Amino acid sequence: MQTAITPPAVPVGEFKSFGPLGPKYEVGRAIRQLGDGDWMIEITMIETGEKAEYRWSHLIDDPQAH
């Protein structure tokens, strides 16, 4: 029997920054769950448009970008 995996409630489209003075990024969708229970979330860097993966546990600690 396969268990359904429910991703976290990701604030898709929200803008955040890496710490109070870091680069800004836009939050995307949950990609996959990691072995430790954390999730990888797709993010897009605002300045470059580059897409990357970022841990959910780090993302929730980052401030909203203004």
Side-chain angles (χ1 to χ4, degrees):
M1 177 187 257
Q2 198 172 34
T3 305
I5 299 173
T6 304
V10 178
V12 175
E14 188 172 287
F15 295 95
K16 291 186 155 269
S17 63
F18 296 110
L21 302 174
K24 296 176 181 170
Y25 63 90
E26 181 177 6
V27 179
R29 63 184 176 83
I31 299 172
R32 67 180 178 284
Q33 189 173 30
L34 302 173
D36 63 1
D38 205 355
W39 281 80
M40 292 305 287
I41 309 298
E42 181 181 73
I43 63 170
T44 303
M45 302 304 299
I46 300 302
E47 291 182 16
T48 65
E50 175 186 2
K51 293 196 181 290
E53 295 180 3
Y54 192 46
R55 281 182 168 264
W56 170 249
S57 59
H58 295 264
L59 185 145
I60 59 175
D61 288 334
D62 284 341
Q64 287 188 319
H66 299 282

